[in-house]
């Protein structure tokens, strides 16, 4: 028997702040319909024995025959949840849409996403992120629908594969990281540095939101650095700076910390001189500054880099000061006296 009455559903429909509309999206056979069955079972619509086998949202004859979801199907569930401990359970109406996972029915996923507030992405913890996982996630983000992740089939890790706790954790972590990589997808264009191919740089700048200017910390700003910066400013693309080959200062030249700082500062100042020369007033202040987080330092060859913001977060928490103030202290002629615990 359902755990709710028609009157409860009718009453909650008038409280729009307590209504949630969710799509269940995933790669085919990652367990969307089975998970949906479990949620429907929790609402009391189907029995616990039938959950998983019933495929409640596969209402068409061809879906039951093929064992695959073809059309998006919705179901309304009544659920009570204690959002704040001690205040008691508050009723919610959950409009759940089970969408297909097969690539041939992607239009059904888009239709479901356009009428929901969020998307529950189901990922098989054994198989991990599949091709269609990326496709449906991309569809959700294109429709500006916020995703949440459900790592499914954990029982297989325990009963079937009998995995160790650490191995299970590694699989879960890999699944989460792969989903986050898809969400945080960055379209990066590597443009030519030779003067003969400047037209390619302009073409790249015209379809991007920002420009990462890479400067060799040993050689400093070169002629082509000025050219590409001028092109970026002409296209009204805001630049940020990456001071590269810091590893050479440490390993090859074995420079002192003060000498390295002088080279970094010279590179940043030279870039800012170019920006000041060709800057468009409509763009506002686009000067690069480590204290603002628009300058990074690192080594492209060895695959590492950092900003002052990263260290500011660490020291701000340790010293109990604001991150913004710490960023200003970490760049420039500032010195921390460890004995007196003051900046000078």
């Amino acid at each position: 028997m359902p755990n709710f009455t028609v009157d409860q559903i009718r009453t909650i429909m008038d409280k729009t702040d307590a209504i949630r509309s969710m799509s269940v999206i995933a790669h085919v056979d990652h367990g969307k319909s089975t998970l949906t069955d479990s949620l429907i079972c929790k609402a009391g619509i189907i029995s616990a024995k039938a959950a998983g086998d019933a495929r409640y949202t596969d209402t068409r004859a061809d879906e039951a025959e093929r064992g695959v979801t073809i059309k998006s199907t919705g179901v309304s569930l009544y659920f009570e949840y204690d959002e704040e401990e001690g205040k008691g359970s508050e009723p919610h109406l959950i409009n759940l849409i089970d969408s297909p996972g097969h690539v041939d029915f992607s239009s059904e996923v888009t239709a479901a996403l356009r009428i929901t507030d969020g998307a529950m992405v189901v990922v098989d913890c054994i198989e991990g992120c599949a091709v269609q996982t990326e496709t449906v996630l991309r569809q959700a983000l294109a429709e500006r629908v916020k995703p949440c992740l459900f790592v499914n089939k954990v029982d297989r890790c325990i009963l079937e594969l009998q995995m160790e706790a650490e191995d299970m954790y590694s699989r879960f972590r890999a699944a989460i990281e792969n989903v986050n990589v898809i969400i945080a997808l960055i379209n990066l264009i590597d443009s030519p540095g030779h003067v003969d191919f400047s037209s390619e740089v302009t073409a790249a700048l015209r379809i991007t939101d920002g420009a990462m200017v890479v400067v060799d910390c040993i050689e400093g700003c070169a002629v082509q650095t000025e050219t590409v910066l001028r092109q970026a400013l002409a296209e009204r693309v805001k630049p940020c700076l990456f001071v590269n080959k810091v590893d050479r200062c440490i390993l090859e030249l074995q420079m002192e910390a003060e000498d390295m700082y002088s080279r970094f500062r010279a590179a940043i100042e030279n870039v800012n001189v170019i920006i000041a020369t060709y800057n468009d007033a409509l763009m506002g202040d686009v000067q690069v500054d480590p204290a603002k987080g628009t300058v990074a330092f690192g080594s492209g060859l060895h695959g590492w880099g950092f900003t002052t913001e990263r260290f500011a977060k660490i020291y701000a928490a340790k010293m109990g000061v604001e991150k913004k103030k710490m960023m200003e202290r970490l760049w420039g002629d500032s010195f921390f006296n460890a004995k007196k615990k003051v900046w000078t």
Side-chain angles (χ1 to χ4, degrees), residues 96-158:
L96 201 67
I97 300 179
D98 180 23
S99 60
H102 199 281
V103 66
D104 291 343
F105 312 117
S106 294
S107 59
E108 288 291 321
V109 179
T110 303
L113 289 167
R114 286 181 178 175
I115 56 172
T116 51
D117 309 313
M120 180 163 59
V121 185
V122 181
V123 173
D124 185 329
C125 67
I126 306 298
E127 296 182 7
C129 284
V131 176
Q132 192 62 8
T133 310
E134 180 176 349
T135 303
V136 294
L137 247 178
R138 192 168 63 245
Q139 286 176 280
L141 296 171
E143 298 297 335
R144 296 182 179 178
V145 174
K146 288 187 177 181
C148 62
L149 177 64
F150 184 86
V151 181
N152 200 17
K153 303 189 182 181
V154 178
D155 57 296
R156 288 187 62 195
C157 293
I158 302 167

Side-chain angles (χ1 to χ4, degrees), residues 74 117 121-122 230 239 251 256 310 319:
D117 309 313
V121 185
V122 181
R230 187 170 68 246
L251 303 174
E256 296 291 332
R310 176 172 293 185
M319 297 182 177

Side-chain angles (χ1 to χ4, degrees), residues 308 310-321 326 330 343:
T308 54
R310 176 172 293 185
F311 287 98
K313 287 180 180 178
I314 299 169
Y315 289 115
K318 186 177 180 179
M319 297 182 177
V321 297
M326 184 57 67
L330 290 178
W343 289 90

Side-chain angles (χ1 to χ4, degrees), residues 77-344:
L77 308 173
Y78 181 86
F79 180 66
E80 292 185 348
Y81 176 65
D82 188 3
E83 291 187 18
E84 297 182 23
E85 293 183 7
K87 290 192 175 182
S89 299
E90 292 291 332
H92 289 80
L93 177 63
I94 312 294
N95 297 316
L96 201 67
I97 300 179
D98 180 23
S99 60
H102 199 281
V103 66
D104 291 343
F105 312 117
S106 294
S107 59
E108 288 291 321
V109 179
T110 303
L113 289 167
R114 286 181 178 175
I115 56 172
T116 51
D117 309 313
M120 180 163 59
V121 185
V122 181
V123 173
D124 185 329
C125 67
I126 306 298
E127 296 182 7
C129 284
V131 176
Q132 192 62 8
T133 310
E134 180 176 349
T135 303
V136 294
L137 247 178
R138 192 168 63 245
Q139 286 176 280
L141 296 171
E143 298 297 335
R144 296 182 179 178
V145 174
K146 288 187 177 181
C148 62
L149 177 64
F150 184 86
V151 181
N152 200 17
K153 303 189 182 181
V154 178
D155 57 296
R156 288 187 62 195
C157 293
I158 302 167
L159 303 175
E160 182 182 331
L161 301 178
Q162 297 183 349
M163 296 171 66
E164 296 291 333
E166 191 173 347
D167 294 331
M168 289 173 61
Y169 167 73
S170 297
R171 283 189 180 267
F172 301 159
R173 183 171 180 173
I176 295 166
E177 287 177 350
N178 289 338
V179 167
N180 282 331
V181 165
I182 298 168
I183 292 172
L185 185 64
I186 297 173
N187 298 315
L188 198 66
I189 301 177
D190 182 18
S191 58
H194 199 280
V195 66
D196 291 344
F197 310 114
S198 295
S199 59
E200 288 291 321
V201 179
T202 303
L205 288 167
R206 286 180 178 175
I207 56 171
T208 50
D209 307 312
M212 181 167 61
V213 184
V214 182
V215 172
D216 185 331
C217 67
I218 306 299
E219 296 182 3
C221 285
V223 176
Q224 191 63 8
T225 309
E226 181 176 348
T227 304
V228 294
L229 250 177
R230 187 170 68 246
Q231 286 176 283
L233 295 170
E235 298 297 334
R236 292 182 179 174
V237 175
K238 288 188 176 182
C240 64
L241 177 63
F242 184 82
V243 180
N244 198 19
K245 301 188 181 180
V246 177
D247 59 299
R248 288 187 62 194
C249 295
I250 302 167
L251 303 174
E252 182 183 332
L253 301 178
Q254 297 183 352
M255 297 171 64
E256 296 291 332
E258 192 172 344
D259 295 332
M260 289 173 62
Y261 168 71
S262 297
R263 283 188 180 268
F264 299 161
R265 184 169 181 172
I268 295 167
E269 287 177 351
N270 289 338
V271 166
N272 280 331
V273 166
I274 298 169
I275 291 173
T277 305
Y278 301 104
N279 190 27
D280 188 337
L282 294 174
M283 292 180 67
D285 183 18
V286 292
Q287 297 267 308
V288 294
D289 186 356
K292 294 179 181 178
T294 52
V295 179
F297 310 87
S299 168
L301 177 64
H302 296 287
W304 57 266
F306 62 89
T307 62
T308 54
E309 184 178 7
R310 176 172 293 185
F311 287 98
K313 287 180 180 178
I314 299 169
Y315 289 115
K318 186 177 180 179
M319 297 182 177
V321 297
E322 292 182 8
K323 185 185 73 174
K324 186 178 179 181
K325 290 183 178 179
M326 184 57 67
M327 286 178 69
E328 293 172 355
R329 292 291 191 183
L330 290 178
W331 183 257
D333 298 325
S334 297
F335 172 74
F336 180 70
N337 191 320
K339 291 183 179 179
K340 297 181 179 179
K341 295 185 179 181
V342 293
W343 289 90
T344 56

